[in-house]
């Protein structure tokens, strides 16, 4: 399923052997190798086959589930087949939950069914379901400010729309209803929470996702409505009569159980203890096949590492691909990774994650000490021809990477076009057909440039002061 | 919710009173009135409010259901509010069916769930479901040709893709799997039928729709897969191992029961017994709110008639809006209408139906005797500025209209752009947000021109020889 081994010309092999003492952190020879890797990636990288394999042979893989277990086995097998030097897992402990059914229907004044989905780790309704009146709020802040008497016994409906943007910046202002709404509703004695899905589509898919549940004393069922269904409730409410909705929700909270971070390494030839981590997350939500979130990311970082593994010699440092477990339910795998490896964090020269779908990369962000910008400038020489512009120095490196960044680890961020990412995010519609094979090649090209240069460079990137 | 009554200038009122003896069937005065109606429609018609009302206040309305009953009440009330002279219903008898759940999952070699929906009037699985191997066919013809031993005990999977086209012409070649597949599968002893949805989207929606069930001795469960799920099965089958799927389907066939054609008339001032029928269908499938299929059509013909009802005088003939019942399950309302009114068919000067979504009208087809083309030419003078071109003389007038056309009734066809119609057709995603209010104004403008001129014209349209 994969291309023949990448081979370099004699001249470049010779160049690799030369260690020129340069003022700049990256030698012309390093840049030449990276350029060859980049152009090969555009021609012949095949990340698409990896995400195809994951979605077809594994599919949904929520943390701690059977699918997750199969994904962990798949990832180890695939990394071995791709030629990684070391492949291993590190166990983590995850809270587990099974989605049951979620049925909702308006019973008055205009009876009709609604398309909903439970938010992650929602409780169910009591046997026989509940029926209650809807009370609408513009956003989670309005719910938090509302007096309890307005909410008590009712279904709080947060009707906040998300704006579409290439950067995905509409997500932050909209996601509060999902993350904090249930807590606020429960504290005020609501019967349940319903939110307009945090998404940019106008399709009949509800978007699931995690919410804050720790310490909520009397949690209530929490559901997302598809955008057309939120429109429907809104239109009914505008007609001025009380709107009553019946909910019948069944979910199951399970005992905590094991999952795994799956790790594959290309071992460094000179400084094997110094490591660049490139990551993605292996878990997905349960309703789609996790093609965009985050099968594409898994594929891009694995394929970039595979190309580096095929060079005639190992890079100076170790390239470590970490496929994090349980990202969707709160960066669980990344947090446990950092906890378990706290004493070794100084050896992680940089971290970066691909977890924003399968769109074209258009911007290169960093989080570097100010005296290390020259390496980013050199990387940009090879990234710019891919249509990538230089961004800012505030990158989190991606969701899981942010846990490392909080400890001062430098980060790189290859920012994808996320214009349509939130059309599919956390829905059943996150499937392989949304992934474009050619765009993935551009992604691999950028990742292989960045990864190779970070593991091959002279010197290191220091630490970045953390904000407190 | 509606605009102020349309009023005409004094000059046009005077013009209306003149009966000029013309060689052409439509007088300049008629054309002037139609032009005013057209331009008012573009400015101020409000079909959108009607489809909004139907989808919000009624929603899904499958034939013979509670929703259907509410839709019939809604339609009568709405027609009265819009100023129709006569509003009445005609009872029809319809087969009834309730959709239950339809769960499908691959159990081997790669366990994961599939998104499916039952085809209309499908039987369920036995208690506990069934598990069987998939056998794939390129199209229904391949299934029909296959030896029974290849199919017996297996789930026949028809994997035929539908092509996108403005005319919707991809539907015909693809729909055979849905309409004839279950019969073929049952005759060969298959355990069940699964088809790739007859649709043009790549979203995780399965498309339901009617199939031929009469006289099938041992019907088997019949399901549609969403396009991404059909891709998934296809990809698994390509890997060469047997693919086993578990189905758990529950549906309920009910006794036949009543539904209704709902009829509203603007009574003709000179020849009230001569009638132009403009139609749409009131029923919908059960999973969406029937905004495109056929709420938009209902709204367009009702709004066109409303505008004509607001003229200072009634048109020469009667304009009859017929909202047919039970179209989706086999043109049941239209067939029973024609049966009940067989002796009056000669009084129906023409028929036309709006039932192809909410896209812009781009073509004007007819089914007229050859010596009556001049009226279509005159209509085209007013339709062309709406971006409408002259089409052919083979129009069926629309699905329900075709039953009249089969009896020699002339027909008009205002053909909508159906490029995205089959993205939503018969899915839960057929909702109001897919309807554009401005495009509906263009639709009303064309319909009011055609309808007014047909009821106001000199002479009649004769009969069209039927093909036998």
């Amino acid at each position: 399923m994969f291309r023949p081994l990448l081979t370099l010309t004699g001249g470049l092999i010779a160049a690799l052997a030369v260690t020129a003492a340069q003022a700049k952190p990256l030698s012309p020879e390093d840049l030449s190798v990276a350029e060859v890797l980049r152009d090969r990636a555009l021609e012949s990288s095949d990340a698409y086959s990896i995400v195809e394999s994951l979605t077809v042979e594994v599919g949904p893989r929520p943390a701690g589930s059977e699918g997750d277990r199969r994904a962990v086995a798949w990832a180890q097998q695939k990394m071995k087949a791709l030629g990684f030097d070391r492949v291993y897992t590190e166990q983590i402990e995850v809270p587990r939950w099974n989605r049951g059914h979620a049925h909702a229907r308006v019973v008055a004044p205009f009876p009709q069914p609604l398309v909903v989905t439970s938010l992650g780790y929602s409780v169910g309704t009591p046997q026989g379901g509940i029926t209650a009146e809807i009370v609408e709020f513009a956003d989670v802040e309005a719910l938090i400010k509302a007096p309890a008497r307005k909410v008590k016994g009712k279904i709080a409906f947060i009707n906040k729309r998300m704006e579409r943007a290439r950067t995905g910046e509409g997500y932050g202002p909209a996601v509060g209803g999902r993350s904090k709404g249930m807590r606020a509703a429960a504290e005020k004695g609501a019967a349940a929470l319903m939110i307009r899905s945090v998404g940019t589509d106008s399709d009949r898919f509800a978007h699931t996702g995690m919410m804050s549940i720790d310490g909520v004393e009397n949690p209530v069922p929490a559901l997302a409505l598809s955008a057309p269904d939120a429109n429907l409730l809104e239109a009914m409410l505008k007609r001025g009569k009380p709107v009553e909705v019946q909910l019948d929700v069944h979910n199951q909270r399970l005992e905590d159980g094991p999952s795994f971070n799956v790790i594959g390494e290309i071992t460094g030839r000179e400084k094997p203890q110094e490591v660049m981590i490139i990551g993605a997350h292996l878990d997905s939500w349960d309703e789609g096949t996790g093609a965009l979130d985050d099968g594409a990311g898994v594929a891009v970082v694995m394929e970039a590492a595979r190309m580096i593994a095929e060079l005639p010699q190992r890079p100076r440092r170790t390239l470590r691909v970490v496929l994090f477990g349980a990202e969707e339910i709160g960066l669980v795998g990344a947090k446990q990774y950092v906890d378990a490896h706290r004493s070794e964090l100084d050896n992680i020269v940089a971290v970066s994650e691909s977890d924003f779908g399968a769109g074209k990369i258009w911007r290169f962000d960093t989080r570097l000490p100010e005296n290390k910008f020259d390496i980013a400038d050199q990387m940009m020489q090879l990234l710019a021809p891919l249509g990538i512009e230089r961004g800012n120095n505030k990158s989190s490196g991606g969701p899981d990477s942010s846990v490392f960044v909080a400890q001062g680890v430098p980060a790189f961020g290859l920012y994808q076009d996320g214009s349509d990412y939130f059309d599919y995010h956390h829905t059943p519609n996150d499937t392989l057909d949304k992934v474009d094979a050619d765009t993935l090649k551009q992604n691999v090209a950028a990742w292989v440039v960045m990864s190779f240069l970070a593991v091959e460079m002279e010197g290191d990137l220091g630490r970045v002061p953390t904000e407190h």
Side-chain angles (χ1 to χ4, degrees), chain A:
Chain A
M1 211 178 300
F2 294 95
R3 299 286 183 282
L5 291 188
L6 181 150
T7 51
L8 298 174
T9 62
L12 282 167
I13 293 171
L16 265 173
V18 174
T19 307
Q22 302 284 332
K24 303 240 174 183
L26 295 170
S27 69
E29 293 74 15
D30 295 342
L31 293 169
S32 295
V33 176
E35 187 173 2
V36 170
L37 287 168
R38 181 194 71 191
D39 295 345
R40 292 278 174 88
L42 290 175
E43 283 298 307
S44 65
S45 70
D46 193 14
Y48 186 85
S49 286
I50 301 175
V51 61
E52 198 262 0
S53 171
L54 178 56
T55 55
V56 172
E57 295 162 22
V58 179
R61 45 198 182 277
S65 69
E66 276 297 296
D68 186 24
R69 193 187 54 72
R70 283 194 295 270
V72 168
W74 171 91
Q76 292 176 81
Q77 196 174 22
K78 188 65 78 180
M79 283 174 164
K80 285 174 191 163
L82 294 178
F84 285 66
D85 297 321
R86 270 188 81 201
V87 177
Y88 56 103
T89 60
E90 293 185 353
Q91 187 169 331
I92 58 174
E93 189 80 358
V94 300
R96 294 184 307 149
W97 176 80
N98 269 348
R99 182 186 305 279
H101 62 250
H103 300 306
R105 53 181 297 119
V106 179
V107 292
F110 308 116
Q112 53 172 300
L114 298 170
V115 172
V116 297
T117 195
S118 288
L119 297 182
Y121 293 70
S122 170
V123 297
T125 51
Q127 192 74 21
I130 59 168
T131 301
E133 191 183 330
I134 296 287
V135 53
E136 185 182 13
F137 297 96
D139 49 31
V140 70
E141 289 73 24
L143 170 60
I144 289 170
K145 276 185 212 143
R149 64 181 153 68
K150 200 179 160 193
V151 182
K152 195 170 167 57
K154 295 184 179 168
I155 299 170
F157 166 42
I158 298 178
N159 189 18
K160 170 82 176 170
R161 284 170 167 80
M162 177 179 165
E163 300 293 329
R164 186 183 297 277
R166 182 164 66 158
T167 56
E169 65 194 79
Y171 190 58
V175 78
R178 193 189 81 205
S179 56
K180 299 183 290 185
M182 192 279 285
R183 179 183 300 272
E187 285 174 0
K188 291 173 201 288
L193 172 78
M194 294 180 92
I195 65 167
R196 177 185 285 272
S197 280
V198 182
T200 48
D201 58 304
S202 190
D203 288 311
R204 209 98 185 266
F205 295 113
H207 297 236
T208 191
M210 202 53 198
M211 56 183 178
S212 166
I213 52 173
D214 287 347
V216 180
E217 280 188 19
N218 295 297
V220 296
L223 304 167
L225 287 157
S226 88
D229 290 271
N231 296 348
L232 197 59
L233 269 196
E234 185 178 87
M236 288 185 186
L237 288 162
K238 274 196 185 138
R239 282 157 164 84
K241 291 183 192 155
V243 176
E244 287 183 18
V245 167
Q246 184 181 50
L247 301 178
D248 177 18
V249 180
H250 186 264
N251 295 313
Q252 198 182 4
R253 180 65 185 269
L254 309 172
E255 296 280 294
D256 290 2
S259 181
F260 298 88
N261 294 321
V262 182
I263 301 159
E265 295 184 357
I266 314 298
T267 309
R269 69 176 189 277
E270 280 185 18
K271 299 175 174 179
Q273 77 288 359
E274 289 190 18
V275 174
M276 159 88 182
I277 289 182
I278 60 175
H281 67 84
L282 187 56
D283 66 312
S284 75
W285 278 105
D286 54 329
E287 297 191 292
T289 62
L292 296 172
D293 189 12
D294 182 22
V298 165
V300 167
V301 296
M302 282 171 77
E303 178 69 358
R306 183 193 69 80
M307 293 186 71
I308 292 170
E310 284 179 359
L311 289 172
Q313 66 174 3
R314 288 293 178 252
R316 182 166 287 133
R317 291 181 191 75
T318 293
L319 180 64
R320 180 178 296 163
V321 173
V322 182
L323 304 182
F324 293 100
E327 186 272 348
E328 292 293 1
I329 58 173
L331 316 179
V332 176
K335 287 174 183 169
Q336 294 188 24
Y337 186 98
V338 167
D339 277 346
H341 296 276
R342 203 164 283 277
S343 65
E344 307 149 43
L345 291 181
D346 283 347
N347 288 329
I348 302 175
V349 295
V351 63
S352 192
E353 186 178 19
S354 175
D355 181 23
F356 196 46
K360 204 176 165 219
I361 294 169
W362 67 279
R363 201 173 90 188
F364 179 48
D365 291 350
T366 54
R367 193 177 198 101
L368 296 172
E370 287 191 12
N371 62 349
K372 299 289 182 178
F373 284 180
D374 51 356
I375 191 162
D377 296 340
Q378 286 191 284
M379 287 176 171
M380 271 305 295
Q381 296 172 30
L382 297 182
L383 295 175
L386 295 170
I388 299 172
E389 60 191 63
R390 183 73 173 98
N392 61 43
N393 196 44
K394 296 175 187 167
S395 180
S396 70
D400 291 305
S401 295
S402 70
V403 183
F404 296 77
V405 163
Q407 302 299 321
V409 178
F412 296 109
L414 289 166
Y415 215 142
Q416 288 159 298
D417 185 325
S419 299
D420 66 358
Y421 181 62
F422 291 101
D423 289 350
Y424 307 112
H425 185 247
H426 297 185
T427 73
N429 205 22
D430 177 359
T431 49
L432 183 65
D433 48 298
K434 315 309 181 300
V435 176
D436 179 74
D438 285 335
T439 306
L440 278 197
K441 288 184 174 158
Q442 187 257 7
N443 273 244
V444 173
W447 275 86
V448 79
V449 163
M450 176 191 75
S451 304
F452 173 75
L453 292 177
V455 288
E456 193 62 35
M457 67 183 173
E458 294 287 338
D460 63 30
L461 299 172
R463 298 289 96 179
V464 184
T466 54
E467 291 147 16
H468 289 290

